[in-house]
Amino acid sequence: MTDQNNSFDAIIIGAGFSGLYQLHTLRDQLKLSTLTVESGSDLGGTWFWNRYPGARCDSESHSYCYMFSEEIYKKWEWSERYPGPEEIRSYLNFVADELNLRRDIKFNTLVTKARFIESDNKWELTTEGGETYRATYLITGIGCISSANIPSIPGLQDFQGKWYHTGNWPHEEVSFENKRVGQIGTGSTGIQAAPEIAKTAGHLHVFQRTPNYSVPARNAPLSDAFKREFHDDYEEIKKAVRSTPNGHPFRISETKVFEHNKHEREKVYEDAWSKGGLQFRATYQDLTTSKAANDTAANFLKEKIKSIVHDKTTAHSLANIDYPYAGKRPPIDTNYFETFNRDNVSLVDLKQESIIKITEDGIQTSARHIPLDIIVFATGFDAITGKFMEMDIQGRNELKLSEAWKEGPKTYLGLQTPGFPNLFSITGPGSPSVLCNMPVPIEQHVEWITDCIAHMRKNDIDTCEASEEAADEWVAHVNEAANATLLVTVPHSWYLGANVEGKPRVFMPYAGGMVRYRALCDDVVKHNYAGFVLSSKNDSEQTGGNNSKHNFDITKQITTPGI
Ligand code: NAP
């Protein structure tokens, strides 16, 4: 609903999976005047920006979608095991049409500032175009991997060819035909992009700083029988994604690695390799918690790389991995290692030669000059907090979010930060977010925020704000959960913010698993919003919440991490 004074009950930033569903719940269920602002020219969020060659979701299509409406779920038909950006955008457009969402989304609107105005408990937003908006509730649905990280390699401004970051890919087709292409980065994105770029490039040089494990995705068109099945099994699939630690429709085995002998293990790994996909990390219960257990999977995958790649030196560089499998987000691929058997592809191992600078016609390494026409930065993101920091967000007492998060993001349940009343984040830092199949935590957050706002309105509560004490306790618990896994042992991981110069080294997502997280959030509600301060301006007393006495001990509720 639009308003002449640009004043709304709620404003949502972002029109991806999060923002679309949040718009629906606040506008259609709570009947709030609601506006969504989106910096892109269309909806889609991460899938609006990530259009690089080979881009594809690593979650399986029948689970990478909304589950809140059986009707919507059953009306849509996916075509492949893993959906690409175009199909996901079509799906989100279909949902937006079904729910008539577009009329309340303002595109090409980049929020540059958000201020909490204490005198009337409103958020005031300023956009790049100089417009201002006001709202009682501000909800961010800005994604976790949306702020492109372009490394500061000297000389980029001198480069006379074309360069692109995968997370900001042009909408027009980029031709690699007969071009000398340098791709920097071999994360999930680079591993998807290289095989596609290699198909037409004159020559592709893949600059690898840290080698990566990868398991074949085994993407394929979905059979009619499967499509029918996933429609028929809606309830079961919904139950499954809500009962697994990372929101995927497959269970993590309860067997521990050394309960099987070597022969049995090889069979388990071989079967998972043939099946393909992220299920590989679900083969054993202790893969992400025991180094010795993890070594067995890591060695299996390294042997696979060596058996695929013909050139011994290249194979050695690709398999020279010194951190645990799934310690960083594990990629899945379509012919990634096979690509290095092509005559027009070479690996530049940055452990052997380092990048010195970018020149006007290529990249100078410590060993040679590599002439290039195009550079592709598959160098990742200032993840989870980057997009927040791009906005100037100021809460109570002129506290800036950048100041509040100086030593790392300090949130309660990833949902709120002390000092920033009525600012809610969908999949914010400190929530399971990127460790999950994203639509699952997104739906849970949207529904929790909607219920919280409904509770506030019903009880005449003006502001909801995380208490300092609860946030401190939660941050400690997020660390505790991470420290129980091997994920904290990978020094260069973006989970830790280690890929961005100057960023605090703090493990940002919650590794305790989505099931436990959901139960904790529900428990907080049951205990009258324990840890949140709920107040009314007509009442100097706190009107709700359970700030001062936690009758609910978050830290005691974790036993094993659930990633
Ligand atoms: P990423 O995992 O952070 O990988 C970035 C790559 O760039 C790494 O290989 C990194 O090397 C390299 N790099 C960065 N700066 C460099 C420099 N100065 N010199 C040389 N190399 C440099 O980023 P991403 O691949 O874009 O993936 C980010 C996340 O997005 C994924 O983990 C995943 O969660 C998500 N994603 C999902 C999908 C999907 O669902 N299909 C697809 C793509 C991405 P180091 O390792 O040495 O830092």
Side-chain angles (χ1 to χ4, degrees), residues 494-507:
W494 63 259
Y495 292 150
L496 279 161
N499 62 329
V500 175
E501 232 178 281
K503 193 167 172 169
R505 301 279 163 108
V506 173
F507 194 87

Side-chain angles (χ1 to χ4, degrees), residues 46-47 50 52 54-59 64 82-83 145 149-153 165-167 183-192 207-212 278 323 328-332 350 355 377-381 383 434-435 490 492-495 498-499:
T46 196
W47 302 106
N50 282 273
Y52 59 86
R56 200 170 276 286
C57 183
D58 288 350
S59 294
Y64 193 76
Y82 305 97
I145 41 172
N149 175 37
I150 299 166
S152 50
I153 302 171
H165 186 280
T166 49
Q183 177 190 301
I184 305 178
T186 53
S188 302
T189 300
I191 279 178
Q192 288 184 331
F207 292 77
Q208 171 192 276
R209 189 165 67 180
T210 308
N212 219 331
L278 289 173
Y323 59 89
K328 300 212 284 182
R329 156 72 152 72
I332 60 175
L350 297 177
I355 295 178
F377 288 96
T379 44
F381 301 87
V434 292
L435 299 178
V490 184
H492 35 74
S493 138
W494 63 259
Y495 292 150
N499 62 329

